[in-house]
Amino acid sequence: MKSPLLSLPGAVPAEGRDEGVAAHYGDLFREQRSLADGTGFVDLSHRGVVTVTGHDRLSWLHLLLTQHVSDLPAGRATEALILSANGHIEHALYLVDDGETVWAHVEPGTQAELIAYLESMKFFYRVEVADRTEDFAVVHLPAGSIAPVPDGVVVRETAHGRELFLPRGGLEAFAASHGPAAGILAYEALRVEAHRPRLGFETDHRTIPHEIGLIGSAVHLQKGCYRGQETVARVQNLGKPPRRLVFLHLDGSEVHLPAPGTPLRLAADGPEGRQLGFVTTAVRHHELGPIALALVKRNVPVDADLVAGTTAAAQETVVEP
């Protein structure tokens, strides 16, 4: 969906998966600093919004998700995954229950497939699943923000800020009173700095939760059965994941950032060496310079100097080998 905030002064449309909102509003680093200081907001209205209502909503979702949600208190934010039978990540949901309805936002364009799966699993449970993307827009207020939240708006409060499920018709009025607006590139830079993986960016068709550090935050190890649990338990108790997420400091003298999928190799082997992983997200940070997240093979030494294509890359451990 195309955001009305693309009409704001300086707005440059985002491309790719984030199409529909602004990449930036003319000053990427100023927008980052604003968010880091707890001011402004980010338009995430391109994200899908899904609701689940009904008496059985929490107990039913508890059977399907990787997270323990059967006793989720009203107002408490959590996140959860839906896995394939082989334990690969298919969906990531960012949830809050308001006492009557579970609200979730998901990656842009994934809500239809998610809802189709949820509908197929309803059976005799008293639940109703709805796509509310056309009615509600997700807006991010950064950590430390003291901006007022409009009355009646559902809020998902996290350590990284507040996510509002704002009636879509009120988006322009909200922007006028809660600016300055920051684009998705500023939001992504702070996401990478915080080592937070994103579905479709740090994941591919074979990613399991252990590889990107989602055990605990999105996967509860002490709950009952769900699809893919056997893989989660086996890797947790008997083995190690084949890959691990790393944080990269990139050579700041390079003009271009490495694109997603850029091969990673040992610096000592040069650009023709054996591929050990690949870049998932690369950004320019207002303090750290060019940084990235990447997936590498588990046995890559944690102190090894790498190259992303031809760009030097020093790694920091996110997921232990």
Side-chain angles (χ1 to χ4, degrees):
M1 300 191 67
K2 186 175 180 180
S3 172
L5 301 191
L6 286 171
S7 64
L8 290 178
V12 174
E15 299 177 345
R17 292 187 181 97
D18 288 320
E19 183 179 1
V21 296
H24 60 83
Y25 295 91
D27 192 336
L28 173 61
F29 290 156
R30 177 192 60 76
E31 294 165 32
Q32 285 186 38
R33 288 191 291 268
S34 174
L35 294 179
D37 291 340
T39 59
F41 72 95
V42 182
D43 175 14
L44 300 178
S45 62
H46 62 320
R47 291 186 65 82
V49 176
V50 177
T51 60
V52 182
T53 56
H55 183 271
D56 297 333
R57 66 189 183 281
L58 291 176
S59 59
W60 175 67
L61 286 171
H62 186 78
L63 299 174
L64 305 177
L65 305 180
T66 56
Q67 188 59 271
H68 196 301
V69 297
S70 60
D71 301 314
L72 184 67
R76 179 180 296 176
T78 192
E79 57 188 86
L81 309 174
I82 290 178
L83 306 180
S84 72
N86 293 322
H88 301 137
I89 299 173
E90 292 188 343
H91 293 282
L93 296 83
Y94 300 87
L95 307 164
V96 67
D97 184 84
D98 67 4
E100 297 181 352
T101 301
V102 172
W103 295 77
H105 66 82
V106 298
E107 284 297 322
T110 65
Q111 62 269 24
E113 184 179 353
L114 170 63
I115 289 172
Y117 171 70
L118 294 177
E119 288 285 352
S120 74
M121 301 300 291
K122 284 172 66 172
F123 302 115
F124 56 85
Y125 289 94
R126 294 168 291 178
V127 294
E128 293 296 331
V129 182
D131 183 351
R132 305 302 305 278
T133 309
E134 292 189 0
D135 304 316
F136 289 89
V138 180
V139 173
H140 170 80
L141 294 175
S145 172
I146 58 173
V149 175
D151 291 342
V153 170
V154 175
V155 178
R156 186 174 176 273
E157 186 98 31
T158 76
H160 305 289
R162 288 176 287 169
E163 296 160 356
L164 280 54
F165 293 88
L166 187 74
R168 191 169 287 274
L171 192 54
E172 290 177 283
F174 180 91
S177 60
H178 287 72
I184 193 70
L185 290 182
Y187 179 85
E188 284 289 280
L190 300 187
R191 177 182 72 82
V192 171
E193 178 193 16
H195 306 167
R196 292 188 289 134
R198 182 177 170 189
L199 182 74
F201 288 67
E202 280 62 58
T203 69
D204 56 24
H205 67 283
R206 58 193 179 98
T207 304
I208 61 175
H210 305 74
E211 294 180 316
I212 56 174
L214 293 182
I215 301 301
S217 62
V219 179
H220 196 289
L221 295 176
Q222 306 301 322
K223 60 161 289 186
C225 290
Y226 54 86
R227 190 173 69 175
Q229 185 192 22
E230 295 83 359
T231 297
V232 170
R234 184 168 62 250
V235 174
Q236 184 70 22
N237 297 322
L238 300 176
K240 295 284 188 178
R243 303 177 297 182
R244 59 185 179 87
L245 186 68
V246 297
F247 176 79
L248 301 176
H249 291 274
L250 302 172
D251 181 1
S253 66
E254 296 287 344
V255 174
H256 299 290
L257 292 170
T262 298
L264 285 170
R265 298 178 171 89
L266 290 176
D269 294 341
E272 303 303 319
R274 181 167 61 95
Q275 182 172 342
L276 302 174
F278 58 92
V279 173
T280 58
T281 306
V283 297
R284 296 192 187 278
H285 190 274
H286 69 286
E287 290 183 340
L288 301 177
I291 55 177
L293 293 174
L295 281 173
V296 300
K297 294 182 178 181
R298 179 174 56 86
N299 60 0
V300 173
V302 296
D303 57 351
D305 291 325
L306 306 174
V307 287
T310 58
T311 302
Q315 60 170 316
E316 289 184 10
T317 301
V318 177
V319 174
E320 295 290 338

